[in-house]
Structures are given as structure tokens and as C-alpha cells.
Amino acid sequence: PTGTTTIGARTEHLAIEKAANGHADGVVDWVEHLGDQNHLHVTVGAKKLVTLTDPDTPLAKGDRVTIRYRSPLYFGSDGHRLM
């Protein structure tokens, strides 16, 4: 929305999939197995992203991935959430 200065995204706001057609947003550094969930470590440009993923994720170290937002949170310059 107009006035957005920051986008917030929790695990449920991200769709991370293996890249197709040559386009990738990041690369999987590793998948940390923690029982009923996994921590997915991804490098996106010069930044690191760590999020949760299902225990049966098909992603593995070295996979190129696309990352898409699903209903993220938007914040204005005052730090308040925009609706």
C-alpha cells in the first residue's frame, strides 16, 4: 500500500520453491532438521534468511529457489502496520 517503508514476513507469509526457468531469488545453504519442522537457511543476495519449512521439504543444500510473499505485513515510516 501507499506509504509502505517496511515489509514484514513471517514463515506463513513466504512461499519458497525450487527455481524454474532460470530465475532464482536465493540459494539454500542448508536444511536444519529439528524433528517436526526444519529451519531453512537461504542466501538472498548479500542477506541471510532463516525460516521454518515442513519436515518433508524437497529442498536441499545448493538448490536455487524462488521466494514469493503471501499476504505479508506492511508498515509505514512510523512503524505502525498499514491495513
Side-chain angles (χ1 to χ4, degrees):
T2 302
T4 298
T5 58
T6 303
I7 298 174
R10 297 182 178 121
T11 296
E12 63 269 20
H13 299 137
L14 297 175
I16 302 176
E17 301 172 335
K18 283 188 181 181
N21 301 323
H23 172 80
D25 299 308
V27 178
V28 175
D29 294 323
W30 77 89
V31 180
E32 184 178 4
H33 302 284
L34 300 169
D36 66 336
Q37 62 187 13
N38 292 326
H39 282 185
L40 182 65
H41 298 256
V42 179
T43 297
V44 181
K47 305 281 185 183
K48 300 289 185 174
L49 167 70
V50 179
T51 189
L52 297 174
T53 188
D54 295 328
D56 59 349
T57 183
L59 299 174
K61 180 178 179 172
D63 284 347
R64 296 173 50 82
V65 294
T66 57
I67 302 169
R68 298 287 174 259
Y69 290 119
R70 294 186 298 211
S71 303
L73 307 173
Y74 300 99
F75 299 90
S77 60
D78 60 1
H80 289 100
R81 185 173 172 195
L82 303 174
M83 296 295 173

